[in-house]
Amino acid sequence: MKDQTNYAGMGLGTIAIHAGQRPDPTTGAIMMPVYQTSTYVQPELGRHLGYEYARTHNPTREAFEANVAALEAGTHGIAFASGLAATDTMLKLLNAGDHVVCGEGVYGGTYRLFSKVLSRLGIEFTFVDSSDVEAIRAAVTPKTRLIHVETPSNPMMQLTDIAAAAEVARAAGAWLSVDNTFASPYNQRPLELGAHLVIHSVTKYVNGHSDMVGGMIVVRDDDLHEQLRFLQNAAGAVPGPWDSWLGLRGTKTLHLRMKAHNANGQQIAEWLDAHPKVQAVYYPGLPQHPQHELAKRQMRGFTGMISIEMGSLEKAAAFVNGVRIFALAESLGGVESLIGHPALMTHASVPRDRRYAMGLTDGLVRLSCGVEDVEDLIADLEQALANV
């Protein structure tokens, strides 16, 4: 039984807990069941109950899709087995010879997919500093079909003016896609600012518990949805029902978790900014961030993601190896705090000269501040920095 409720005007917490779901009509179970099946019995030849094969339809996945779509103020959600699978499927909207303008500050896996895989299939890419809208505009060609950005960017925490980028896209007859993974729907809703597609690695803040891998695209346009739904089924990179259920479980506390991530991120960024061993702090919630005013306009919180410059690989290594509560690991957005070294971890596939050109040095460290007690997190960072 699909949710028919109109959630327009309701708070995000209400949407997070209820959208896409209704109590099970057979038992009244309040939680969405895990429909762990690969196929569905048909009453007779030529007639089915809305479900034929699990790659194409699964009720648990449908509930998760509807839930995240509502959180993003979208109409349609299309779920995938990973954030990269979502990005790859989105690019299948294009044809050989089409051109993409991409922000240079994207996840390293996105850069690898675009530059080393999809470029071989005849799609052309131009990477620009998307914090400069004029750089986006200058890169547009008559063949441009898509402008793709991450904001805040990974890991330099630069912002793209989504509304301005959407105007550039409309003038070019192109789509604007925004990877909203770092912000989450709690802090930023790109569709309301003019974007055509929103992408998430739902592995991160949306799920929030580091226990599943998944991706999502959210759109408002019905025709775009039909194209993406066809590609989802045709290419088949769908999440299983259990991962969909875990994602749906995670969204129920999104509004609560993000308040804690935002508060911890802000306090830790301010503390790091005052520390003598930290050369620079990249966090849009700090007044000295060059796009702080833009952040205040298009975001409602600044997340738990912080990047800092330590000055050298040796200092960065000593710092990340010295933490006790923060865990040295890839990924982000879970309730537990993580720390990582982008140059050797998440962005290792990006050429060194390109990394350095956008400030991603060997001394850069990225923190994902969880929801632990902030005093304990600061004490952990303090003892680790004492040995640098």
Side-chain angles (χ1 to χ4, degrees):
M1 181 178 178
K2 295 183 180 180
D3 181 18
Q4 303 297 325
T5 307
N6 182 1
Y7 290 95
M10 294 189 186
L12 190 134
T14 302
I15 295 171
I17 292 170
H18 294 287
Q21 308 148 84
R22 303 298 296 169
D24 178 62
T26 302
T27 65
I30 192 69
M31 293 299 293
M32 182 73 192
V34 180
Y35 285 88
Q36 194 72 50
T37 184
S38 61
T39 193
Y40 307 88
V41 174
Q42 302 182 19
E44 60 183 76
L45 186 63
R47 184 169 70 90
H48 57 77
L49 303 178
Y51 299 91
E52 299 174 83
Y53 188 61
R55 185 188 69 249
T56 310
H57 298 106
N58 180 277
T60 313
R61 187 174 79 221
E62 288 175 348
F64 184 38
E65 291 173 332
N67 185 267
V68 178
L71 289 171
E72 280 287 3
T75 308
H76 309 285
I78 308 97
F80 298 90
S82 68
L84 274 174
T87 304
D88 180 67
T89 302
M90 177 182 69
L91 268 291
K92 290 185 172 76
L93 291 166
L94 308 184
N95 298 311
D98 287 343
H99 176 249
V100 177
V101 179
C102 181
E104 64 183 8
V106 293
Y107 165 53
T110 302
Y111 177 82
R112 179 179 59 227
L113 174 67
F114 288 2
S115 65
K116 297 185 179 180
V117 179
L118 296 176
S119 63
R120 294 191 288 105
L121 304 181
I123 299 175
E124 299 177 5
F125 296 90
T126 300
F127 295 90
V128 301
D129 176 3
S130 63
S131 67
D132 180 356
V133 175
E134 293 308 313
I136 298 176
R137 194 189 316 275
V140 169
T141 76
K143 294 183 179 181
T144 302
R145 291 284 311 282
L146 178 71
I147 298 171
H148 178 69
V149 300
E150 287 188 27
T151 180
S153 68
N154 183 1
M156 299 308 300
M157 303 303 291
Q158 291 182 314
L159 273 60
T160 299
D161 187 328
I162 297 172
E167 290 181 5
V168 175
R170 283 194 296 271
W175 293 307
L176 172 66
S177 61
V178 176
D179 188 320
N180 203 29
T181 299
F182 263 37
S184 87
Y186 180 86
N187 286 323
Q188 180 173 267
R189 300 211 283 192
L191 294 177
E192 295 181 334
L193 297 171
H196 300 89
L197 307 99
V198 175
I199 286 188
H200 280 280
S201 171
V202 295
T203 313
K204 315 302 193 302
Y205 279 125
V206 171
N207 164 259
H209 292 79
S210 302
D211 55 11
M212 59 85 74
V213 173
M216 187 77 68
I217 300 175
V218 178
V219 299
R220 287 178 170 176
D221 183 80
D222 292 342
D223 180 63
L224 197 52
H225 168 245
E226 288 184 11
Q227 294 182 61
L228 288 164
R229 188 67 70 184
F230 170 82
L231 291 168
Q232 178 198 44
N233 183 56
V238 296
W242 179 239
D243 283 337
S244 298
W245 189 91
L246 287 171
L248 194 57
R249 179 280 319 266
T251 62
K252 292 183 184 297
T253 58
L254 178 68
H255 59 300
L256 304 175
R257 290 184 286 104
M258 292 313 301
K259 290 176 184 177
H261 285 298
N262 290 344
N264 283 1
Q266 184 72 38
Q267 191 167 339
I268 291 170
E270 292 172 357
W271 181 85
L272 287 166
D273 188 51
H275 199 285
K277 291 187 177 180
V278 177
Q279 294 188 6
V281 179
Y282 304 100
Y283 186 73
L286 294 177
Q288 67 266 31
H289 189 285
Q291 297 163 298
H292 180 61
E293 292 303 316
L294 173 61
K296 290 195 295 184
R297 289 200 309 271
Q298 73 181 22
M299 301 177 73
R300 64 182 289 183
F302 308 119
T303 87
M305 299 305 301
I306 307 168
S307 289
I308 62 174
E309 177 57 55
M310 293 300 299
S312 69
L313 175 59
E314 292 73 23
K315 291 180 179 180
F319 178 41
V320 302
N321 288 334
V323 294
R324 298 167 182 167
I325 296 176
F326 279 81
L328 178 60
E330 297 203 13
S331 198
L332 60 104
V335 292
E336 66 289 317
S337 293
L338 303 178
I339 194 167
H341 186 266
L344 295 181
M345 297 170 74
T346 57
H347 288 69
S349 61
V350 179
R352 189 174 188 270
D353 58 345
R354 180 175 287 275
R355 285 194 286 104
Y356 267 68
M358 58 183 178
L360 203 170
T361 69
D362 291 341
L364 193 80
V365 172
R366 193 187 76 180
L367 296 86
S368 175
C369 303
V371 302
E372 302 95 337
D373 293 299
V374 70
E375 296 82 5
D376 296 329
L377 295 177
I378 289 175
D380 185 35
L381 297 174
E382 188 168 30
Q383 64 83 25
L385 284 168
N387 297 314
V388 173

